Amino acid sequence: MNETTKTLTFVGIALLGALLAYASRPASVADAAKADDASSEFFAEFKDPLAAKSLEIIEWDEAKAEPKQFRVAQVNGRWAIPSKLNYPADADRQLAEAAASVIDLKKLGMVSEERADHEMYGVVDPMDSKAGMTGIGKKVILEDAGGKKLAQLIIGLPVKDKPDLRYVRLPSQDAVYVAKLSPEKLTTRFQDWIEPDLLKLNSWDITEVKYDNYSIDEVNRRIVEGDKLALTYNDKDAKWNMEGLAPNEELNAQKLNDMKVALDDLKIVDVRRKPAGLGRDLRTSEGLTIDEETFLSLASRGYIISQGQLYSNEGEVVVELKDGVTYVLRFGEIAADTEEAKPDEGAEQPAEGEQPKGSNRYLFVTAQFDKSAIPAPELQPVPGAPAEPAAPPTAEGQPAAENKEGEKQAGEPAEPQQAERQKIEQENKRKQDEYDSKVKKGEEQVQTLNNRFADWYYVISDDVYRKIKLTRADVVQPKKPADGTAPAGTDAAPPTTEGGLDEFNEIKDQGLGTPEN
């Protein structure tokens, strides 16, 4: 073989290798060789985002090695999350934005028609996947009110160096395309689809926060008393106060203000439905019927009923507002198998007997109305009309009649006094009506809140729990002297006492009595 032949052979081998490498790598938009239907729409008939009445998103749960399905839909005319037992959803805007992200979605180029390439582009259908598989995509299904599918898509990996472009395919086809798509609105995070403000309170309306930091010793079936705190807040001077402080103690304003903010911004990460009977009873003032289902449901989440009272594993917090609306927050057991329940990676391991940081926790919420929080109206006394004396008899024994000049009979109140009386009565009525309106509004708001809270155990993050659930050691600190030096701490948690709980088998037969709503 001469030198020319050798050279041509090497060149041919090199070209063949280059072609093989080119054919085997993921294609970019510029490399999309099969663009026979490029720029055509995926869903030409889907034009109105408001037509979408159901959205299902399916992802692969690697920890459980199974598909994770999330669905939001209109149920009986209201938005709900069927995958969360029809928890109410705040979905009008969110679903419209999710639908808009796939409307007018165009095929910018085809990169493959081979099923064998699905894993490489990340467009494997999660419903057809198995443990150990890679390249599994996110499946999105939009339907109208009648169940007609408006759009179906499997979203895969982003195109290299082009994060706004994604590999996608239709579930019924093997062809893989490139499309401009932002999947941020196609989220399966429960928190993204619900009313984010659980309590709907304004931190500036908080007037008092009471802590009862008891706990339940489940092994020995007894209540372990903790410290009790009564904190008041004056918004005029933005200052916290608490009775029982020693002369060398002061409140930790930063901790208390962080608590206020956490209450104002209290968000839930997950929910669990209460038994139907418990939810129904919490909407009324007739007390609870504690059957076996309710007893087991409460106990499994850290709540026990004894002697007509509801107790929780980690005590309770009572938050009162200016308008008399009062929230009772009862903290229960660690909530396993809920969204975002795992602690942060590398987090410090808790000491023996301590709860792990990062764990979610159950929260039982009820609302009450404190009428005394609304100042009663200060009504002015109404001057009474003087008693009218009998008219003197006439010579014939008859009462005197009005004289010729049209003067009033003796004893009738003068017009200025009558006008003043009417003025006072009108002002008193205005004040009373204003007071009655505030009371009625507060009572109605509490009923609305309890209707919303009745069916659900809420799950909150560990971070939120630790900001709200405070002890005396958290809120009391040594007072700093004028010279800036800090004295040795003198505060100590009060000694605990223990109160008995009834045996669990006896608790079943007891009722809660009148609920706090």
Side-chain angles (χ1 to χ4, degrees):
M1 181 181 295
N2 57 34
E3 291 301 321
T4 302
T5 302
K6 287 182 180 181
T7 300
L8 291 174
T9 300
F10 291 147
V11 171
I13 293 173
L15 287 173
L16 179 59
L19 288 172
L20 289 173
Y22 177 86
S24 63
R25 80 190 196 289
S28 67
V29 176
D31 297 328
K34 299 175 181 179
D36 53 329
D37 60 347
S39 298
S40 63
E41 296 180 4
F42 279 95
F43 314 109
E45 297 180 0
F46 183 25
K47 295 297 183 185
D48 181 10
L50 299 180
K53 301 301 180 184
S54 170
L55 169 67
E56 184 174 14
I57 303 173
I58 307 169
E59 295 180 315
W60 183 253
D61 188 330
E62 293 186 3
K64 296 182 179 180
E66 64 184 19
K68 175 185 176 182
Q69 295 177 263
F70 178 88
R71 185 166 176 262
V72 59
Q74 280 198 349
V75 179
N76 298 325
R78 299 178 60 185
W79 287 107
I81 304 175
S83 56
K84 292 293 182 181
L85 300 172
N86 288 337
Y87 186 82
D90 181 25
D92 283 309
R93 176 187 56 80
Q94 182 77 9
L95 186 60
E97 291 179 352
S101 68
V102 299
I103 285 180
D104 298 328
L105 190 65
K106 293 182 172 57
K107 304 171 183 176
L108 301 182
M110 181 192 295
V111 296
S112 174
E113 290 182 294
E114 302 298 327
R115 177 171 295 190
D117 292 339
H118 290 178
E119 189 172 345
M120 177 173 61
Y121 293 109
V123 291
V124 175
D125 192 330
M127 297 302 293
D128 297 333
S129 300
K130 298 179 181 179
M133 293 182 65
T134 60
I136 303 172
K138 176 189 290 187
K139 189 172 186 177
V140 178
I141 304 171
L142 285 157
E143 297 180 346
D144 64 12
K148 177 184 176 181
K149 289 181 172 53
L150 302 172
Q152 293 188 81
L153 194 68
I154 298 177
I155 304 171
L157 297 170
V159 176
K160 185 178 180 180
D161 299 327
K162 296 182 182 295
D164 59 331
L165 302 181
R166 292 269 176 166
Y167 298 111
V168 299
R169 75 175 181 92
L170 301 177
S172 59
Q173 299 178 11
D174 290 333
V176 181
Y177 298 89
V178 170
K180 187 173 183 179
L181 176 66
S182 298
E184 288 78 14
K185 297 300 180 182
L186 302 170
T187 172
T188 60
R189 280 170 47 91
F190 173 69
Q191 305 95 299
D192 294 337
W193 292 93
I194 62 171
E195 164 58 57
D197 190 352
L198 176 61
L199 302 182
K200 293 187 175 180
L201 63 80
N202 187 322
S203 63
W204 288 101
D205 291 334
I206 295 175
T207 58
E208 188 171 9
V209 180
K210 296 179 180 178
Y211 285 90
D212 191 350
N213 288 322
Y214 66 84
S215 61
I216 297 176
D217 182 350
E218 296 184 32
V219 175
N220 297 305
R221 297 173 180 174
R222 61 186 179 182
I223 297 174
V224 180
E225 297 290 345
D227 48 28
K228 296 183 179 181
L229 312 174
L231 297 145
T232 57
Y233 183 76
N234 187 337
D235 62 352
K236 293 181 180 179
D237 55 11
K239 185 178 181 180
W240 287 94
N241 297 284
M242 186 180 81
E243 293 184 1
L245 287 177
N248 61 342
E249 293 178 332
E250 65 182 3
L251 294 176
N252 186 329
Q254 184 63 55
K255 284 275 189 181
L256 294 173
N257 289 333
D258 288 346
M259 174 266 292
K260 275 184 60 181
V261 172
L263 288 169
D264 189 355
D265 194 36
L266 181 58
K267 290 183 171 59
I268 58 177
V269 298
D270 212 339
V271 291
R272 294 291 183 271
R273 185 178 280 278
K274 295 172 184 170
L278 178 58
R280 180 188 62 247
D281 291 347
L282 286 169
R283 289 183 172 87
T284 71
S285 58
E286 299 176 0
L288 299 181
T289 304
I290 307 302
D291 55 20
E292 184 175 3
E293 181 187 14
T294 296
F295 171 79
L296 293 175
S297 173
L298 288 168
S300 67
R301 291 167 174 85
Y303 301 101
I304 297 295
I305 294 176
S306 178
Q307 300 178 351
Q309 297 295 321
L310 177 64
Y311 294 93
S312 49
N313 270 12
E314 298 298 327
E316 58 191 56
V317 180
V318 178
V319 182
E320 185 169 308
L321 308 184
K322 294 176 182 177
D323 60 3
V325 175
T326 303
Y327 297 89
V328 182
L329 312 180
R330 295 182 173 92
F331 302 103
E333 195 63 81
I334 292 290
D337 194 27
T338 56
E339 292 194 14
E340 299 184 358
K342 295 182 180 180
D344 297 334
E345 292 185 8
E348 182 180 350
Q349 293 299 314
E352 184 177 354
E354 290 186 356
Q355 298 291 359
K357 292 184 178 181
S359 301
N360 293 342
R361 188 175 295 275
Y362 285 111
L363 173 65
F364 193 119
V365 187
T366 56
Q368 305 170 358
F369 181 66
D370 182 4
K371 187 177 179 179
S372 65
I374 301 177
E378 296 182 2
L379 305 180
Q380 297 183 41
V382 179
E388 295 185 7
T394 61
E396 294 78 17
Q398 299 298 326
E402 190 175 354
N403 60 27
K404 295 180 181 179
E405 289 77 19
E407 294 178 351
K408 303 291 184 182
Q409 293 189 20
E412 189 168 336
E415 289 185 1
Q417 184 180 10
Q418 181 70 16
E420 179 65 17
R421 178 178 178 174
Q422 291 178 350
K423 180 180 178 181
I424 293 175
E425 287 178 337
Q426 290 173 357
E427 180 63 14
N428 284 348
K429 184 177 185 304
R430 183 193 66 77
K431 291 179 180 179
Q432 187 66 47
D433 288 346
E434 183 179 4
Y435 172 78
D436 292 342
S437 176
K438 289 180 179 179
V439 171
K440 182 179 180 181
K441 182 179 179 181
E443 292 173 340
E444 291 176 345
Q445 184 177 351
V446 164
Q447 186 61 55
T448 299
L449 289 169
N450 281 326
N451 287 341
R452 185 155 63 93
F453 299 150
D455 290 330
W456 306 98
Y457 300 106
Y458 297 100
V459 179
I460 62 173
S461 71
D462 178 70
D463 180 59
V464 171
Y465 166 73
R466 292 176 184 274
K467 287 180 180 178
I468 296 176
K469 179 67 163 55
L470 302 176
T471 65
R472 193 178 195 279
D474 293 322
V475 303
V476 177
Q477 62 187 11
K479 182 180 292 184
K480 296 178 181 179
D483 60 7
T485 60
T490 58
D491 60 299
T496 62
T497 58
E498 297 178 349
L501 267 180
D502 296 332
E503 294 293 331
F504 279 25
N505 57 358
E506 296 178 359
I507 297 173
K508 292 182 183 180
D509 301 325
Q510 297 176 1
L512 179 61
T514 303
E516 299 176 340
N517 59 357

